[in-house]
Amino acid sequence: MAASDSEEDPGAASASGFSDLSDSEFLLLEEPEDSAPQLVDSAKPSSSSELPRVSTGTNMTENGGGLKEKRKRSQTPLEKYFLKYLCVTDISTQSWCEQQMVYGRERPELQPPERVSLLDAGKSIHLARELEVHNLVSVRTTSKEDSWAIKLLNLLSMIPVLQTGHRVREFPVFGEIGGVFLVGIIDELHYTAKGELELNELKTRRRLLMPSKAQIKKDSFQVCLYKYIFDSMVQGQLKPENFTSHIGLRPEQPLGLHIKAHAQKAGFTVASLKELLDLAFLNLTLSDIPNIDRLKIEYIHQESNALLGTEEVPYERDQVSQEVQYYLAYWKGQRDVRGVDIEEAWKCNMCAYSSICEWRQDQVAEGPFQRSGSKKSK
Ligand code: SF4
């Protein structure tokens, strides 16, 4: 039993970097409030991208009987937006254009309206696929700990399925990279005829054609990041403490009655989040689940469900590590937000934020975008 979702492409397309949606994580945006019934696996992480650093300033504080000027340090984007974790899709969206990702958070009203309907359609396709391998049940939650317990129970229930060589869908992954907690949902994991563990990422498209090279590059980075996090998990690199400290969960918090009942039905007897965490991480690390061997992206036409094509994605761990560290540096306030480089200035032509984009205006004023960038198309 479990549930999940996925994402979609915003019609207009490539310029937004969303011309193929797929991911389950976008569903996280719909994570229900505590105390509301939840789909047992729709434990999608809630998205979390964000804005540039807030400017520094000063304020007056009381100190030793008098007012003293105290310098406030800059808030990082993570702090400013109270983000306890990021989703893999946040990072892949950032890889298309960091500045666009920031505007997407700051000015969502400027996004093309068709994106919402595309996301809905993509989610339906993902849901249909998920229902092929398990049922969805809703479970009432009464605390933040309960909500995360659902994610862990989904993970726990999929471990034996993978161990016995079967297919799983909407597999939750958690990881810590460079001090930042990351959450994701892998669309599908299965074994090939050769016994290799293969990740299959489903992307749905409005248009009846394969995406651009740039779009495929963004999607490829996303699946590489899934592998990076998954491999670390099965190697035992993520600890229960990482999980609770980043998210601010109370490990000793007793689980709600509905969660405990659901866990019992699934064969697990747990009373607190800590017990569930220990059980999940023990099962994961003691299992013989291997690292992911192959990465594949499947592009499907949204309306007809026709397969448009598949992409085999090469994986280079050091390169993925380097790239994700670069993106996380923004979130940690170690560098300012950046827009696209001149080689990718063509993205600005289809960007909903081009009329307000300060990065673009600066580049145009300095010359390079005028000379060649905006004419390029990929
Ligand atoms: S106009 Fe260009 S640089 Fe600015 S957000 Fe859009 S794609 Fe990025």
Side-chain angles (χ1 to χ4, degrees), residues 254-269:
L255 296 173
L257 289 178
H258 298 279
I259 296 290
K260 283 196 278 196
H262 177 73
Q264 190 81 47
K265 268 190 217 162
F268 310 113
T269 303

Side-chain angles (χ1 to χ4, degrees), residues 15 96-101 103 338-341 344-361 363 369:
W96 178 266
C97 173
E98 189 170 271
Q99 179 67 79
Q100 188 185 74
M101 180 266 303
Y103 282 134
R338 287 183 57 89
V340 297
D341 290 328
E344 294 193 317
W346 54 271
K347 289 180 178 176
C348 304
N349 291 344
M350 298 171 282
C351 176
Y353 308 104
S354 58
S355 62
I356 62 161
C357 178
E358 290 179 18
W359 173 271
R360 182 170 190 272
Q361 285 161 11
Q363 299 301 308
F369 273 26

Side-chain angles (χ1 to χ4, degrees), residues 61-117:
T61 58
E62 195 136 6
N63 187 341
L67 285 176
K68 178 180 175 183
E69 190 177 74
K70 180 182 177 184
R71 179 169 291 278
K72 280 167 59 181
R73 76 171 173 85
S74 296
Q75 282 184 308
T76 68
L78 283 172
E79 290 167 341
K80 180 177 179 182
Y81 297 99
F82 305 103
L83 298 174
K84 297 188 165 103
Y85 62 92
L86 295 173
C87 294
V88 169
T89 44
D90 290 326
I91 307 292
S92 68
T93 300
Q94 184 180 3
S95 74
W96 178 266
C97 173
E98 189 170 271
Q99 179 67 79
Q100 188 185 74
M101 180 266 303
V102 169
Y103 282 134
R105 292 280 170 172
E106 286 183 323
R107 306 290 303 273
E109 74 279 6
L110 295 181
Q111 286 185 8
E114 59 270 28
R115 181 162 192 278
V116 175
S117 61

Side-chain angles (χ1 to χ4, degrees), residues 246-289:
H246 279 287
I247 303 168
L249 297 171
R250 297 161 295 177
E252 305 299 338
Q253 167 79 6
L255 296 173
L257 289 178
H258 298 279
I259 296 290
K260 283 196 278 196
H262 177 73
Q264 190 81 47
K265 268 190 217 162
F268 310 113
T269 303
V270 285
S272 67
L273 182 68
K274 181 177 187 314
E275 288 182 17
L276 182 54
L277 270 168
D278 289 343
L279 187 64
F281 284 86
L282 195 65
N283 270 260
L284 197 60
T285 49
L286 293 183
S287 74
D288 53 359
I289 298 174

